[in-house]
């Protein structure tokens, strides 16, 4: 083989800050964020969702952080771990996307671990046949762990999760005209845990994201959970978000 420079500016951030994803693409963290290289690694790296990249992932200081990545075939995404001895914030990158023209995209999901469980390094097992994540990581406390989708406890600590829908326009889209959410409902899976909802409104999309809950309530999970009763928040504003939270499965 031979070695040649394919880009004068972009390169892998750390020795383990890369992984190979479905289709043979090389995904890598650089000082300019996340980049991808087509199979064969002979083409210059291409930026992935540069406009949406969290600012925390730009110009990561490798003298303070050990950066490692692994592709999760089960979850169809890449785990990105940033370890500095006490950091609890990491990322899951949804890369189940297709190339459009010559552009790639991905979405970034923040993930938190307790300080003792913070991943120091990671590895994706090949030929894994289980139903849990094939990615294992070495934790600060000396244990090897992996993600198990059916659990709502993290070594005894309850796992709290949430998702925010929006922000979306209730009026004109420019903030000049208000709208109102008059009712919301949900369908819970069988044996679902209870789900708490909250509605957040504001004059701008940013205001809605940062606003305190205008109204909130709970959809109660049960054995034969299904369509829930409608809630009537009557929340008014130009933009809105709906947040759902649960500590159950």
């Amino acid at each position: 083989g031979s070695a040649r420079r394919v880009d004068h500016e972009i390169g892998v951030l750390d020795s383990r800050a890369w992984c190979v994803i479905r289709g043979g693409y090389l995904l890598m963290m650089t000082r300019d964020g996340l980049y991808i290289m087509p199979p064969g690694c002979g083409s210059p790296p291409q930026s992935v969702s540069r406009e949406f990249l969290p600012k925390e992932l730009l110009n990561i200081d490798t003298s303070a952080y050990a950066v490692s990545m692994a592709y999760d075939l089960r979850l169809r995404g890449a785990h990105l771990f940033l370890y500095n001895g006490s950091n609890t914030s990491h990322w899951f990158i949804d890369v189940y996307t297709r190339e459009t023209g010559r552009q790639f995209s991905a979405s970034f999901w923040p993930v938190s671990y307790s300080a003792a469980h913070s991943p120091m390094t990671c590895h994706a097992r090949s030929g894994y046949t289980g139903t849990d994540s094939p990615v294992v990581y070495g934790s600060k406390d000396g244990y090897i762990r992996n993600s198990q989708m059916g659990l709502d406890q993290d070594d005894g600590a309850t796992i709290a999760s949430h998702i925010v829908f929006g922000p979306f326009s209730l009026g004109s889209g420019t903030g000049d005209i208000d709208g109102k959410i008059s009712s919301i409902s949900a369908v819970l899976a069988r044996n679902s845990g209870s789900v708490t909802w909250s509605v957040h409104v504001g004059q701008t999309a940013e205001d809605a994201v940062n606003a305190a809950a205008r109204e909130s309530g709970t959809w109660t999970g049960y054995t034969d959970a299904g369509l829930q009763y409608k809630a009537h928040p009557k929340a008014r504003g130009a933009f809105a978000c709906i947040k759902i939270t649960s500590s159950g499965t």
Side-chain angles (χ1 to χ4, degrees):
S2 62
R4 67 184 180 91
R5 180 179 295 177
V6 295
D7 195 287
H8 289 269
E9 299 291 339
I10 301 300
V12 180
L13 185 65
D14 208 346
S15 61
R16 297 186 58 82
W18 62 275
C19 62
V20 177
I21 66 174
R22 289 185 340 125
Y25 291 91
L26 176 69
L27 197 68
M28 61 183 181
M29 282 302 301
T30 75
R31 293 205 176 278
D32 191 48
L34 190 70
Y35 276 71
I36 196 168
M37 291 180 67
C41 295
S43 304
Q46 301 175 45
S47 177
V48 178
S49 296
R50 179 62 174 83
E51 296 80 2
F52 304 103
L53 189 76
K55 63 181 181 181
E56 296 90 341
L57 298 182
L58 293 175
N59 201 26
I60 298 173
D61 183 3
T62 53
S63 66
Y65 290 91
V67 184
S68 58
M69 295 178 67
Y71 179 64
D72 194 318
L73 183 62
R74 183 72 58 188
L75 301 180
R76 287 181 170 173
H79 297 271
L80 171 62
F81 298 123
L82 310 173
Y83 178 76
N84 69 351
S86 60
N87 184 49
T88 60
S89 299
H90 306 274
W91 297 86
F92 180 78
I93 304 169
D94 178 5
V95 290
Y96 185 52
T97 55
R98 290 181 172 85
E99 183 181 8
T100 303
R102 295 301 298 171
Q103 299 296 317
F104 294 85
S105 63
S107 56
F108 300 83
W109 299 83
V111 180
S112 295
Y113 298 86
S114 68
H117 299 174
S118 191
M120 301 173 64
T121 189
C122 59
H123 173 72
R125 293 173 286 182
S126 60
Y128 180 67
T129 59
T131 57
D132 300 321
S133 170
V135 174
V136 294
Y137 54 88
S139 305
K140 180 181 179 181
D141 60 4
Y143 288 90
I144 295 177
R145 292 182 168 87
N146 76 325
S147 299
Q148 301 183 24
M149 302 302 293
L151 299 181
D152 60 3
Q153 298 268 323
D154 183 9
D155 278 359
T158 299
I159 299 173
S161 60
H162 73 270
I163 187 168
V164 176
F165 296 96
F168 47 85
S169 172
L170 296 180
S172 63
T174 61
D176 299 328
I177 300 176
D178 285 355
K180 183 173 68 174
I181 298 178
S182 58
S183 65
I184 58 174
S185 187
V187 177
L188 300 185
R190 191 183 298 272
N191 296 316
S192 169
S194 296
V195 174
T196 298
W197 60 265
S198 58
V199 175
H200 308 251
V201 294
Q203 201 61 36
T204 67
E206 185 178 11
D207 290 343
V209 171
N210 296 325
R214 177 66 59 86
E215 290 196 42
S216 61
T218 300
W219 291 308
T220 303
Y222 52 93
T223 303
D224 295 319
L227 182 64
Q228 301 291 298
Y229 290 108
K230 285 185 179 180
H232 300 278
K234 294 184 175 62
R236 179 173 177 168
F239 292 85
C241 294
I242 298 176
K243 180 179 180 179
I244 58 174
T245 305
S246 179
S247 58
T249 56

